[in-house]
Amino acid sequence: MATRSQGLRMVPGGGWEESRWPGLVLPGLCNLHSHAFQVLLTGRTQERGGGPGGAPDSFWTWRERMYALASSLGPDELEKVGAWLYARMLAHGFTHVVEFHYLHQGGAEMGAALLRAAKRVGMGITLLPVLYLHAGPGEELAPRQAPFALPGGVEGYLRVYEELASLVEPEADQVLGFAPHSLRAVAPEELEEALRALLPNKPPIHIHIAEQRREVEEIQAAYGAPPVRWLLENAPVDSSWCLVHATHLGAGERKDLAGSGATLGLCPSTEADLGDGVFPLPEFLEEGGSFGIGTDGQVGLCPAQELRLLEFEQRLRLEERNVLAGNRAPRTHVGRFLLEEALGGGRRAAGLGPPASERGSSDFILLDSGHPLLEGAGPDQVLDAWIFHLGAELVREVWKGDKCLVQEGRHALQEDLDREIREVLRP
Ligand SMILES: [Zn+2]
């Protein structure tokens, strides 16, 4: 027996319309922050080891594991890892990924491998080659950070950028953007030099910022202001920018970030995994800020799970329910609000602009509204069930344009991709 939510398509901005598909049709999502290679750390960083001098495990001890992995990967491995990962992201409903790519191994080959990987599995990609020049303010890169370096400072970086620009295929939904790694890794004059060269192309610009308290202290000590404040006052931050994490910021910085038009990039499961902290999202939304979601270290690959965690961390923090609904009308469904935000913020951060068609992106996810627990449920309730209860088990198909890439939760190439990633992982 048909449920009320069968044959409906979500209209971004409000409501539902009839559709010929047997389920609920949602626009594909954009994953605004990914480091593909880190998926290889799955299950390999969760045993207690501790830091120097008996310090507890932290972001900084995790980072040593990540460095060890980075040195072992070349373009062939990265292409296999990227293809496997992007296929799994597609299977969960992401149809475009923003790859914050800093594993250069000295040239453009690694970035080229990620472009090929995305194209092979049908994933749209915004590739952000990362400018990474220092271990901290005024410090040389450490030897274990060598995989992130490019020879020749900013000029050398710009040569690699140009090389990648010649490989990007817009018809395969590929975009190139700029990413200074962080204010720790790029000095003010280097940031200025790179922006001067690249701003005329109007690229999307992403930066890691204020993820950890130690980073905030270092920037405050070196530049006389905390990172978000420093960036807002010294760089032309606008809607083409995405500030990733921004976890630790003061009320004034938060308000000015909201007013800047930049997108906030939140990566809930990775931020939880790394013990970063909780961003004050309800306050930021109240101030008119906007956000999108990313999978960052690939702890979770499911957009529904990421959105669930965003809301749940606020419920735990504030001891309330149904917190993130913006300033919308009463009875706003939290799932619908979160999804709309993630769709808009994700597209903006990826440099995609608004969808070509008024009815939304041509990429879409088909949710199974025939699940027994959804008998009689309306479409906004099915959406809430996807995000807060059932997650990936509701994703039936994922389409990119006129191509069905995922059926019954599985990418068409999954078997080959599984074999290839095993080869990379095999000791
Ligand atoms: Zn990151």
Side-chain angles (χ1 to χ4, degrees):
M1 184 184 144
T3 69
R4 287 190 288 149
S5 51
Q6 280 192 332
L8 291 176
R9 173 189 287 269
M10 177 178 153
V11 181
W16 299 88
E17 63 181 17
E18 297 285 325
S19 121
R20 65 191 170 88
W21 296 92
L24 212 59
V25 176
L26 312 177
L29 279 121
C30 175
N31 174 357
L32 61 60
H33 192 69
S34 158
H35 309 290
F37 76 98
Q38 292 181 11
V39 76
L40 296 178
L41 291 171
T42 300
R44 288 151 171 97
T45 63
Q46 309 291 356
E47 81 279 15
R48 199 166 178 86
D57 281 317
S58 66
F59 172 90
W60 308 99
T61 56
W62 168 88
R63 198 176 65 152
E64 295 303 322
R65 300 282 186 96
M66 184 269 284
Y67 285 161
L69 168 69
S71 64
S72 68
L73 297 172
D76 290 349
E77 288 87 13
L78 189 62
E79 187 169 343
K80 290 173 183 167
V81 172
W84 186 92
L85 176 69
Y86 298 156
R88 293 301 301 152
M89 287 176 184
L90 278 162
H92 286 92
F94 285 118
T95 52
H96 194 98
V97 63
V98 180
E99 182 68 31
F100 196 103
H101 163 60
Y102 59 82
L103 187 52
H104 298 302
Q105 308 292 21
E109 249 318 292
M110 297 290 271
L114 290 166
L115 292 173
R116 287 194 298 273
K119 188 177 177 188
R120 177 180 173 203
V121 299
M123 177 66 101
I125 185 170
T126 297
L127 183 68
L128 306 173
V130 171
L131 179 62
Y132 197 134
L133 296 166
H134 302 280
E139 287 175 43
E140 296 285 298
L141 279 184
R144 61 197 194 289
Q145 293 170 318
F148 317 146
L150 287 169
V154 174
E155 255 181 55
Y157 169 82
L158 292 173
R159 279 195 295 274
V160 167
Y161 192 95
E162 280 308 306
E163 213 177 318
L164 289 169
S166 71
L167 300 175
V168 159
E169 296 181 36
E171 61 286 359
D173 237 348
Q174 299 192 338
V175 177
L176 191 67
F178 170 49
H181 177 273
S182 58
L183 294 179
R184 302 180 72 252
V186 180
E189 60 280 8
E190 293 159 347
L191 178 61
E192 204 184 317
E193 186 186 346
L195 286 172
R196 206 178 314 120
L198 295 172
L199 275 182
N201 307 330
K202 301 192 188 318
I205 304 170
H206 290 224
I207 186 168
H208 285 142
I209 201 148
E211 179 176 8
Q212 288 276 321
R213 291 182 194 277
R214 182 171 125 188
E215 172 194 347
V216 175
E217 288 158 13
E218 282 178 8
I219 297 303
Q220 173 79 47
Y223 304 143
V228 174
R229 170 62 58 214
W230 189 93
L231 191 76
L232 292 173
E233 288 182 357
N234 292 279
V237 176
D238 62 13
S239 60
S240 61
W241 285 66
C242 176
L243 274 63
V244 182
H245 307 304
T247 316
H248 301 286
L249 78 183
E253 289 174 285
R254 190 187 66 220
K255 189 159 180 286
D256 291 347
L257 174 57
S260 71
T263 303
L264 170 69
L266 293 171
C267 309
S269 60
T270 296
E271 287 159 6
D273 179 56
L274 296 176
D276 285 344
V278 177
F279 181 84
L281 189 53
E283 293 88 334
F284 180 71
L285 292 172
E286 189 76 23
E287 290 157 353
S290 60
F291 72 90
I293 51 165
T295 61
D296 197 355
Q298 328 300 355
V299 178
L301 299 178
C302 170
Q305 180 187 302
E306 295 305 304
L307 293 173
R308 179 190 311 170
L309 191 50
L310 266 191
E311 165 70 15
F312 279 6
E313 59 193 23
Q314 298 299 333
R315 291 187 190 186
L316 290 166
R317 171 180 165 239
L318 300 171
E319 301 178 37
E320 290 177 21
R321 294 192 72 250
N322 302 334
V323 178
L324 300 173
N327 295 324
R328 306 283 177 87
R331 305 201 61 77
T332 297
H333 283 262
V334 178
R336 177 75 188 239
F337 173 78
L338 290 170
L339 184 61
E340 295 260 11
E341 283 290 309
L343 286 166
R347 287 192 69 88
R348 191 168 50 247
L352 293 175
S357 129
E358 262 176 41
R359 295 166 61 196
S361 158
S362 63
D363 306 340
F364 66 90
I365 312 168
L366 184 64
L367 287 191
D368 176 13
S369 52
H371 190 287
L373 287 175
L374 299 177
E375 186 63 31
D380 285 320
Q381 291 174 320
V382 175
L383 212 50
D384 284 338
W386 177 49
I387 291 174
F388 292 106
H389 302 266
L390 301 168
E393 83 172 278
L394 286 194
V395 178
R396 176 180 285 175
E397 291 175 9
V398 178
W399 288 69
K400 182 107 181 129
D402 57 3
K403 257 189 148 168
C404 180
L405 299 174
V406 172
Q407 275 185 314
E408 302 304 330
R410 202 169 159 81
H411 191 281
L413 299 177
Q414 198 60 52
E415 210 174 308
D416 291 346
L417 298 167
D418 286 350
R419 194 180 58 251
E420 291 169 15
I421 200 168
R422 281 182 199 282
E423 286 164 16
V424 174
L425 278 164
R426 202 165 285 140

